[in-house]
Amino acid sequence: MNSALAVRSRLLGKPEDDFRDAQPRRRLGNLLTLGWLGPLFFTLVGGIMRFWHVGAPHQLIFDETYYVKQGWSMILFGFEMKVDPVLEQAKQVDQHFTANDPFVWGTEGDFVVHPPVGKWLIGLGEIPFGILNSFGWRFAVALAGTLSILMVGRIARRLFQSDLLGAVAAALLAFEGHHFVHSRTGLLDIFVMFFGLAAFGALLIDRDQAREVLAAKVAGVSRASISRWGPWLGWRPWRWVAGVMLGLAAGVKWSGLYFLVVFGLLTVLWDLGARRSAGVRGWVVGGVVKDGLFAFAQLVGTAFVTYVASWTGWILTRGGSFRTWAETRPSGGLGGLLPDWWRSLWAYHQQMFDSSASINSPHPYQTSPWSWMIQGRPTSFFYEGPVKGTDGCMVDQCSKAITSIGTVSIWWGGTLAIFVLLFMWALRRDWRAGAVLSGIAAGYLPWFLLADRTIYSFYEVSFVPWVVLACVYVLGLIIGGRDASVVRRRVGLGVMGAFVLLTIGLFAFFHPIYVADVIPQSEWSQRMWFPSWV
């Protein structure tokens, strides 16, 4: 007989007890709990910081020169249009665009190597403000960055069963440098992070709900009475949500596909572990047949449909690059049964893959992934050197910079935390450590396979929430759970408070070179801690 209490404990209870708050959860009103108040507070703080003067400087910085213009092109045409070749040759495209010149476009579709979702989002953010207002260029990224603070706080609350750790996770992300800079710059990578994090949160909810269903179906039932492969766990709506989010992540950049692969394996492994804990005899086959195949359809199938749907603007128009490719290239056999738009889209993707693989030209800010976690070579997005009497400069030489440097307490602490996570996952069988590692693996490890290409450290913003969660995990271990002594909890809370304050202090120190403040060059040099940062 499967004891109801024992089954529920194995499926729902004990693994989280280490991090549960020492005090029972307190409810304020009927809906608002302390688990919401902390993340909401830091979301508000982080949102104000991200939206405050987000339109400055009023010029296209770094790769905004591509994505901001392409975003507006998506709104006007439904696809990326090439700019006017005359303006491009004169290097005046950005100047005309920022002056709200509607005639910066040529007559041909532009070939690009990234799918359209991120550019659609940037373009949608531009609609209410117009291209003359640089606030609109960055509205979508600022919104995504702000909402992700709330998401990581709630995810940490669910993962660690602690209101305190949820609030700490939100606080750390709010004051993380890479996340802050990308929340104020019209690039694509923060959208990969946003949709990957949303998918992770959806799968966490699905995990909890599936275990509730499994516990209800097997608790108090003899093992002999349970079918060999275990019960069906239902339609799993949150996995459909995760599939949509993963499709959108891939629709921003193809690097989002790695989240699909890793999180797909993760959710199936969770199901296998649940069936085993529930005493299902054929838990391996049952997990693969009853959960794995359905998970494949939900995640991969839904992601595929979502990804293709993101190309709707290109499909329904005729001016996009490669859009009419198939019309002049008839195909026989089974290929002839496919619509022309599908064959054209496939040809476009083949060219995108070939072009992406050939991006290996040297760049002064290209980096090796080995240096990313320790912030070996940050990326300079923008730099000007005003002299005395210009742009508010009060000394002989000033600096005005936007540099994507991560808050080093988080990244250096996260580097050490990875080793703790590996130990806890491999030797202590802590699923939470494995969950956090999965996000780091999906966003980080694939770049080691692509190290021969021209890549940059700012790509790491796609997995910064999991670096934050790694730090929070270790802080939770230091504090201990409900059974920890008063002394340990006091010391642990002191360590946690010091870490959060250190993070905020470092963020404040680097803030001038996150937002292009005009500061004396000597003060800029003080923030360039290592020669590789210059």
Side-chain angles (χ1 to χ4, degrees):
M1 178 71 69
N2 271 331
S3 164
L5 183 61
V7 169
R8 293 190 63 83
S9 177
R10 291 198 300 269
L11 290 175
L12 307 170
K14 291 297 183 182
E16 295 87 5
D17 283 346
D18 290 343
F19 285 177
R20 286 187 190 273
D21 292 330
Q23 300 298 325
R25 293 182 65 188
R26 296 176 295 278
R27 186 170 294 275
L28 303 179
N30 293 325
L31 298 176
L32 194 60
T33 68
L34 295 179
W36 278 99
L37 284 178
L40 282 171
F41 172 77
F42 287 109
T43 299
L44 177 63
V45 172
I48 291 173
M49 293 192 302
R50 282 154 176 77
F51 278 99
W52 188 260
H53 291 307
V54 70
H58 180 66
Q59 59 193 98
L60 296 170
I61 64 174
F62 199 56
D63 284 351
E64 282 187 336
T65 189
Y66 306 113
Y67 306 131
V68 168
K69 294 194 298 252
Q70 289 171 0
W72 192 239
S73 176
M74 301 295 289
I75 300 302
L76 295 179
F77 307 105
F79 54 87
E80 300 90 341
M81 181 71 83
K82 280 186 178 180
V83 296
D84 187 317
V86 176
L87 293 179
E88 185 175 27
Q89 186 174 9
K91 297 183 179 180
Q92 295 181 348
V93 177
D94 287 3
Q95 177 183 345
H96 281 255
F97 183 84
T98 55
N100 201 19
D101 184 349
F103 301 106
V104 299
W105 312 108
T107 58
E108 299 179 17
D110 193 12
F111 172 77
V112 296
V113 296
H114 295 309
V117 170
K119 289 162 283 186
W120 272 116
L121 292 172
I122 292 173
L124 290 171
E126 293 172 314
I127 289 177
F129 309 100
I131 60 173
L132 186 60
N133 190 336
S134 47
F135 181 91
W137 304 348
R138 299 156 188 153
F139 176 82
V141 294
L143 182 61
T146 300
L147 292 177
S148 63
I149 297 171
L150 178 61
M151 286 198 300
V152 82
R154 291 300 298 166
I155 285 170
R157 171 64 188 84
R158 179 174 290 273
L159 189 63
F160 304 130
Q161 294 292 298
S162 168
D163 294 340
L164 175 62
L165 295 185
V168 169
L172 293 180
L173 192 60
F175 293 98
E176 200 291 305
H178 279 306
H179 188 273
F180 179 76
V181 170
H182 280 261
S183 298
R184 296 172 55 87
T185 311
L187 306 183
L188 303 181
D189 300 85
I190 199 164
F191 295 124
V192 178
M193 178 278 298
F194 179 85
F195 291 120
L197 183 63
F200 183 75
L203 291 175
L204 274 178
I205 298 173
D206 170 74
R207 179 188 183 277
D208 290 348
Q209 291 185 350
R211 285 180 168 241
E212 288 277 6
V213 171
L214 183 59
K217 290 188 175 184
V218 303
V221 179
S222 66
R223 294 193 177 188
S225 300
I226 302 173
S227 64
R228 182 168 184 81
W229 293 353
W232 167 251
L233 300 182
W235 288 101
R236 315 283 288 271
W238 282 102
R239 280 214 298 221
W240 295 107
V241 173
V244 172
M245 294 299 106
L246 291 167
L248 292 172
V252 176
K253 277 188 169 184
W254 283 355
S255 55
L257 287 170
Y258 298 114
F259 287 97
L260 173 61
V261 173
V262 174
F263 290 168
L265 292 173
L266 180 68
T267 189
V268 173
L269 290 174
W270 282 346
D271 285 342
L272 288 171
R275 290 181 181 272
R276 182 182 182 185
S277 297
V280 174
R281 290 166 292 168
W283 58 273
V284 175
V285 177
V288 172
V289 174
K290 288 195 171 183
D291 298 320
L293 297 179
F294 189 42
F296 182 87
Q298 288 182 292
L299 296 181
V300 178
T302 305
F304 177 77
V305 172
T306 302
Y307 177 84
V308 174
S310 73
W311 287 83
T312 298
W314 182 89
I315 294 170
L316 296 181
T317 56
R318 293 181 57 80
S321 180
F322 275 77
R323 178 61 185 85
T324 59
W325 179 89
E327 295 179 9
T328 58
R329 295 169 176 80
S331 177
L334 294 177
L337 301 177
L338 300 172
D340 284 347
W341 68 263
W342 177 262
R343 295 197 299 116
S344 296
L345 186 61
W346 180 253
Y348 194 171
H349 277 65
Q350 288 178 312
Q351 189 61 41
M352 288 168 65
F353 179 84
D354 292 340
S355 298
S356 297
S358 64
I359 299 176
N360 53 18
S361 301
H363 191 282
Y365 286 102
Q366 71 182 82
T367 56
S368 165
W370 288 106
S371 70
W372 288 8
M373 291 294 297
I374 59 172
Q375 303 302 290
R377 178 63 168 161
T379 309
S380 175
F381 285 179
F382 171 82
Y383 185 88
E384 289 181 351
V387 296
K388 189 173 184 177
T390 63
D391 209 5
C393 180
M394 304 297 290
V395 298
D396 290 340
Q397 183 68 53
C398 292
S399 293
K400 183 180 179 181
I402 298 176
T403 309
S404 190
I405 298 178
T407 305
V408 292
S409 57
I410 293 174
W411 286 94
W412 293 352
T415 302
L416 298 175
I418 287 175
F419 295 98
V420 178
L421 289 164
L422 288 169
F423 173 82
M424 296 299 292
W425 174 56
L427 301 180
R428 295 292 183 88
R429 308 288 185 179
D430 190 336
W431 70 272
R432 297 160 305 178
V436 175
L437 286 170
S438 72
I440 297 174
Y444 184 32
L445 293 185
W447 293 108
F448 287 92
L449 304 176
L450 305 172
D452 58 330
R453 302 184 188 180
T454 307
I455 57 178
Y456 307 91
S457 63
F458 72 83
Y459 294 169
E460 64 191 341
V461 74
S462 66
F463 62 92
V464 66
W466 291 275
V467 177
V468 165
L469 291 173
C471 293
V472 173
Y473 178 92
V474 174
L475 292 172
L477 289 179
I478 294 172
I479 292 173
R482 290 177 174 175
D483 297 333
S485 68
V486 174
V487 173
R488 176 180 174 180
R489 290 189 68 84
R490 286 177 178 174
V491 172
L493 289 170
V495 171
M496 175 180 287
F499 185 82
V500 172
L501 290 176
L502 174 63
T503 297
I504 295 173
L506 287 168
F507 176 85
F509 177 72
F510 285 102
H511 186 268
I513 64 171
Y514 290 153
V515 297
D517 282 347
V518 177
I519 58 175
Q521 191 177 57
S522 59
E523 294 187 14
W524 174 82
S525 298
Q526 291 172 8
R527 290 160 174 82
M528 298 295 103
W529 287 358
F530 305 102
S532 63
W533 285 17
V534 178

